[in-house]
Amino acid sequence: MEKPGDRMSCYLTKALGNVGAELALQVPGRVSTEIDARLAYDTQGIVQRVHELLQIYNEHDIPSERLLFKIPATWQGIEASRLLESEGTQTHLTFVYSFAQAAAAAQAGASVVQIFVGRIRDWAKNHSGDPEIDEALKKGEDAGLALVKKAYVYIHKNGYKTKLMAAAVRNKQDVFSLLGIDYIIAPLKILQSLDESVTDSDEKYGYVQRLTLSLDKMYNFSQEELVKWDQLSLAAAMGPAAEELLASGLEGYANQARRVEELFAKIWPPPNV
């Protein structure tokens, strides 16, 4: 490749695949590989990058069922997820901050949808004017947890295969409130606080599911929420919270990618290559 930027992208893609393959040899579950946030609005660019990574994983004899590819939940990312899932490649849609994103991702057949509970809560503490969040607060609910519950009911009620993941979990009460969800990303300090809790062992190691299908009585989905989502309806339904949080998340991840490139350029290629 003639352009230095293209060469660096190639190096980093190879590095991601190599590191992911090493991780796949050490863990029993799936490995999720982040797709460059700078491709967030490029459906074909995302699909091409995933195909490149699949080829690298294949060279390491890592089967595709051991892999997830983490893609930003822009409309273009959701479309990329639909195309990849139709090929049998599992996708993990991230930066989901609204019901519209979660519903569109489920309709696209995404394997995993990741909702950032704490980030939505933080936004709600300092802002107003988002209809979805205002509605949750009016009911006395936590905005982040409310989105997870609504997405859970929508996915299960409509029979979608999508699994839900909660991230940006701030405390152990969040964990208790999310029991029944498919996956929780919890910081080590929260896991330690759960482990160190002084309580009866039956209670400590018990499991009272909070997310169940009985929640569907709480939700009467509107016709607008049940329609087939497209780019225009998604854009219209995303409130200011989702728009701001998605934009800031993409900017942060793009900056991290540039930082990694700067560091990587210092060590690769070595002088003899």
Side-chain angles (χ1 to χ4, degrees):
M1 295 183 178
E2 293 182 6
K3 295 181 180 177
D6 291 341
R7 284 201 298 273
M8 179 56 68
S9 177
C10 183
Y11 294 149
L12 282 174
T13 300
K14 191 72 181 286
L16 277 171
N18 289 340
V19 172
E22 287 294 322
L23 289 172
L25 296 174
Q26 297 181 44
V27 299
R30 293 176 291 181
V31 171
S32 185
T33 307
E34 189 97 30
I35 301 304
D36 194 329
R38 291 169 293 184
L39 295 173
Y41 294 99
D42 181 356
T43 298
Q44 289 306 317
I46 293 169
V47 171
Q48 182 180 336
R49 181 63 52 85
V50 171
H51 286 166
E52 291 167 357
L53 285 160
L54 279 169
Q55 184 177 343
I56 296 164
Y57 278 115
N58 186 55
E59 290 168 3
H60 288 280
D61 296 321
I62 306 299
S64 61
E65 58 265 26
R66 295 285 318 283
L67 304 171
L68 278 169
F69 294 93
K70 193 174 179 185
I71 298 168
T74 58
W75 174 252
Q76 291 79 5
I78 292 169
E79 273 292 280
S81 171
R82 182 181 63 78
L83 293 170
L84 290 163
E85 292 282 352
S86 71
E87 300 172 358
T89 299
Q90 299 175 99
T91 59
H92 170 179
L93 283 172
T94 187
F95 295 142
V96 174
Y97 300 107
S98 67
F99 172 76
Q101 288 174 287
Q107 288 183 359
S111 295
V112 179
V113 166
Q114 181 174 339
I115 295 174
F116 290 84
V117 175
R119 292 186 193 174
I120 296 169
R121 179 185 302 151
D122 295 343
W123 192 95
K125 285 178 182 175
N126 300 302
H127 304 80
S128 61
D130 185 291
E132 202 168 306
I133 288 177
D134 291 346
E135 183 183 353
L137 296 178
K138 202 179 295 181
K139 295 177 181 176
E141 294 184 280
D142 175 271
L145 295 174
L147 175 56
V148 171
K149 286 193 282 187
K150 187 173 182 179
Y152 176 90
V153 171
Y154 178 84
I155 287 167
H156 286 269
K157 202 171 184 178
N158 291 286
Y160 294 116
K161 70 168 189 175
T162 301
K163 304 293 186 186
L164 266 184
M165 175 184 285
V169 172
R170 300 287 195 239
N171 51 61
K172 63 183 180 182
Q173 188 54 51
D174 282 346
V175 175
F176 294 137
S177 300
L178 290 162
L179 290 178
I181 198 170
D182 300 290
Y183 309 111
I184 299 175
I185 298 178
L188 182 58
K189 65 179 181 181
I190 292 178
L191 296 178
Q192 289 171 335
S193 72
L194 288 166
D195 189 48
E196 293 164 2
S197 298
V198 179
T199 185
D200 177 80
S201 60
D202 288 341
E203 183 182 346
K204 184 171 183 177
Y205 300 107
Y207 182 87
V208 179
Q209 191 166 332
R210 301 295 178 86
L211 299 186
T212 67
L213 285 179
S214 64
L215 290 171
D216 69 355
K217 299 168 188 170
M218 298 169 55
Y219 297 97
N220 291 313
F221 294 102
S222 67
Q223 283 303 113
E224 290 79 8
E225 291 173 325
L226 293 171
V227 297
K228 181 73 175 172
W229 292 90
D230 58 26
Q231 186 170 5
L232 288 176
S233 60
L234 179 70
M238 282 178 63
E243 290 176 353
E244 288 177 28
L245 290 168
L246 175 61
S248 63
L250 290 174
E251 183 182 8
Y253 273 59
N255 288 338
Q256 288 177 19
R258 282 188 280 270
R259 179 65 177 142
V260 170
E261 286 177 348
E262 290 171 9
L263 295 168
F264 208 84
K266 296 177 182 178
I267 62 169
W268 194 266
N272 61 338
V273 172

